[in-house]
Amino acid sequence: MMDTSRQDGFGRDGSASDDSASKSGVRARITAARVIVTCPGRNFVTLKIETDQGIYGIGDATLNGRELAVAAYLEEHVIPCLIGRDAHQIEDIWQFLYRGAYWRRGPVTMSAIAAVDMALWDIKGKIAGLPVYQLLGGACRSAVMVYGHANGKSIGDTVEAALEYKEKGYQAIRIQCGVPGLDATYGVSKHKTFYEPADSDLPAEDVWDTAAYMRVVPKLFAAAREALGEDVHLLHDVHHRLTPIEAGRLGRDLEPFRPFWIEDATPAENQDNFRLIRSHTTTPLAVGEIFNSIWDCKDLIQNQLIDYIRATIVHTGGITHLRKVAMLADLHNVRTGCHGATDLSPVTMAAALHFDLSIPNFGIQEFMRHTDATYEVFPNSYRFESGFMYCSEAPGLGVDFDEDKAKLYPYKRAYLPVNRLKDGTMFNW
Ligand code: EZ4
Ligand code: CO
C-alpha cells in the first residue's frame, strides 16, 4: 500500500521508491545524515548516514583547502534530499544527485556525491555481512601494491630515505628532492616522517624555477637507481610544473632509469597536452588526482595518451563513478593508480582498497600513513605488509568514525601553497 502522506505526489520522505525505481523487498530507509568536520592534524570532512535498521555508513568528503564548501553543499543541498530514501539504491541516488543538481561535475559537487556513495556502499556491505570488495565482484588479486613517499632536501637525503622505504618492504617508491636555489619544493617535507603541504592560515607563496628542477631530477633518478638497484619501482610527481614539451624532455631524460611513471607532468584541462608528451617519450604517464569525472579523462583514455589514471574515489563521485572510469580505462590498456595522499581520509583509503582489489586493471595505489590522532578518529583494520596493503574483512568498508574523539579536534583553516616564478608571475603549484 502506498504511504498516504505521499499520495499528492509532493511528499519528500521517500524518493521515487515505492512507485518507480525500487520494487525490491529489501529496504533500508535513510533516517538521518550529518557532516562532521574534524582536524586531527589536518582537516577531514566526514558524512555519516543512518538507516532505520540501526545501521550507519560513513563517507569521506574532504577537499583540501575547500573543506567547508563541501560540508555546506552536503548539509544544505544533499542531506535534505536523502532522508527517506532507500540506502540500497546506490546507483539511483547517484544519478539523482548528479543529474538532479542540474549543475553537473566540479570538485565540490563530486566530492559531496562521493561521500554519499561511500556511505551507501558501507551500509550495503554491513547489511549483507560482506566487505565491499565482495559486492564489487570479489577480489581480482590477493593484495594491493602501494608506493610510499621518499623525500629529502638533497639528492643524498632522498636516496637515504628511499633506502629506508626499501628496507621496510616497499616495492615502489616515489622520490622527490629539493631544487637547488629554492627554499621550498613540492613533495619535500619539513618534518622527517610527515608531509602536509596545506599548513598555513593563508596560502604560503613559494618560488619556482623550471630549469633548475629539470637539471636535478635526472640526477636524482641516476643516484636512486644506483643505490636501490633494478628491482624497485621508482615514481615521481611533477605536480603540474612543466609545459608538454618540457615534460617530453624530462620523460626522455629519465628513460634510462626506467621510472614506473611520471605524474601530473603538465596540467590536463587541455587533454591534447598529453599527445605532445606522448610523442616524445616512452616514460609512462600518470595523471588525474584533481579530476572529478569521467569527462576529465575520456579523451586521455580513449586516445591512449596516458598509462595510469589517478582519479580517486573521494574527488570523482565515489566508488560508483570511479568504477566506470576504470572500465573505460580497461578497454584502452590504462591502469589505475589512485591518489592516496593524507588529505584523503582513512575512509577513502579503505574504499580505495576495496575498489583496487575488485577491478581487473589495477596498477598501483598511493599510500601515505596518517597521523596516530587521525587513526584514533578513524579506527580501521587495513594493514601494510611487505609492500602491499590488505583490506579489512569486516562488513562494509571496515573503517569507523569516533565522533567523540573527532570533537576534540576543531576545524582549522589551512591552505595549500601557491607558486610564483622568480619575476613574480603566478604559476602552478
Ligand atoms: O599535492 O593531495 O600525489 N600526491 C599529491 C598530493 C597533493 C595533495 C593536494 O591536496 O600530489 O601531495
Ligand atoms: Co600528485
Side-chain angles (χ1 to χ4, degrees), residues 162-222:
L163 285 166
E164 283 172 28
Y165 272 90
K166 196 179 172 194
E167 196 67 20
K168 286 183 187 139
Y170 281 83
Q171 308 195 359
I173 306 166
R174 189 185 92 159
I175 48 176
Q176 310 286 141
C177 71
V179 175
L182 302 185
D183 290 342
T185 308
Y186 165 76
V188 180
S189 53
K190 294 170 191 152
H191 318 282
K192 175 107 175 74
T193 52
F194 189 61
Y195 179 59
E196 199 54 80
D199 64 353
S200 53
D201 183 49
L202 284 172
E205 303 221 350
D206 294 348
V207 176
W208 180 248
D209 180 343
T210 297
Y213 168 77
M214 286 186 61
R215 284 194 297 272
V216 78
V217 178
K219 290 179 193 153
L220 169 65
F221 266 79

Side-chain angles (χ1 to χ4, degrees), residues 259-290:
F260 186 91
W261 76 33
I262 56 172
E263 171 185 336
D264 290 342
T266 198
E269 287 98 328
N270 177 354
Q271 299 188 28
D272 263 340
N273 281 349
F274 280 76
R275 200 180 295 280
L276 189 52
I277 307 175
R278 202 60 153 173
S279 64
H280 289 287
T281 181
T282 56
T283 290
L285 303 173
V287 72
E289 68 182 42
I290 67 168

Side-chain angles (χ1 to χ4, degrees), residues 339-416:
H339 190 202
T342 43
D343 47 311
L344 285 59
S345 92
V347 185
T348 290
M349 190 64 209
L353 293 175
H354 289 278
F355 174 78
D356 294 342
L357 271 187
S358 73
I359 54 168
N361 54 327
F362 166 75
I364 198 166
Q365 171 69 50
E366 184 178 24
F367 173 54
M368 279 174 86
R369 211 168 278 282
H370 285 105
T371 60
D372 290 343
T374 299
Y375 286 135
E376 277 177 27
V377 173
F378 298 94
N380 67 78
S381 55
Y382 57 72
R383 66 193 169 85
F384 171 89
E385 198 187 311
S386 308
F388 290 84
M389 294 283 289
Y390 294 81
C391 220
S392 164
E393 289 296 326
L397 293 173
V399 50
D400 211 341
F401 181 64
D402 187 328
E403 287 188 63
D404 291 334
K405 289 239 168 72
K407 285 190 193 117
L408 302 175
Y409 307 101
Y411 167 76
K412 202 167 149 238
R413 189 175 68 191
Y415 282 95
L416 289 167

Side-chain angles (χ1 to χ4, degrees), residues 151-164:
N151 66 81
K153 251 193 141 19
S154 68
I155 289 176
D157 290 350
T158 308
V159 170
E160 206 173 289
L163 285 166
E164 283 172 28

